[in-house]
Amino acid sequence: MDDTSQIQPPPSFAELFRTRSGKLSAPIAEVVARYELCEDLASHLTEQAQKLYHSGNSSEEQVLLGMHAGLAAQDSVVSPGEAGWIVQRMAELLEWRAPQLPENGED
């Protein structure tokens, strides 16, 4: 992405900020800042997800879908696309199967 930044968002995250022609729709500094926020949220929420799962009230899928619902809520600090990325990242960190997320109509 940018050789001057030490943090390089993965392609799966950068894709959230690409136009159909492949160009970034936001400045690289903003993309990096959003990535850092989303990665931090994924790491933090992973601990919460484990606690919820080990309480025995929900399956892995239910935990992740519940997290997604909260992240994708109207007043969330992240966009619907970022919410989906966070949940996919959480599944990766937890070594859980990623759930099929509801369609949000924004593609």
Side-chain angles (χ1 to χ4, degrees):
M1 297 203 77
D2 180 7
D3 292 336
T4 62
S5 176
Q6 292 182 345
I7 297 174
Q8 298 292 317
S12 62
F13 187 83
E15 193 62 32
L16 299 174
F17 294 89
R18 293 206 183 275
T19 64
R20 290 179 190 241
S21 65
K23 295 182 181 180
L24 285 178
S25 61
I28 186 63
E30 181 181 331
V31 175
V32 169
R34 297 303 298 175
Y35 167 69
E36 288 180 300
L37 170 70
C38 291
E39 182 68 31
D40 287 348
L41 277 170
S43 294
H44 174 73
L45 292 174
T46 296
E47 294 174 32
Q48 297 298 104
Q50 286 176 324
K51 289 178 186 175
L52 287 169
Y53 177 72
H54 290 297
S55 72
N57 296 324
S58 299
S59 67
E60 294 173 356
E61 180 179 37
Q62 289 170 323
V63 169
L64 291 174
L65 288 173
M67 293 283 187
H68 181 261
L71 288 165
Q74 187 173 358
D75 294 335
S76 179
V77 299
V78 298
S79 71
E82 290 170 333
W85 186 89
I86 291 167
V87 169
Q88 297 295 323
R89 180 67 175 134
M90 289 173 58
E92 192 177 284
L93 292 169
L94 290 162
E95 298 181 358
W96 292 356
R97 184 173 159 210
Q100 179 69 40
L101 299 175
E103 294 294 320
N104 59 26
E106 294 186 27
D107 284 345

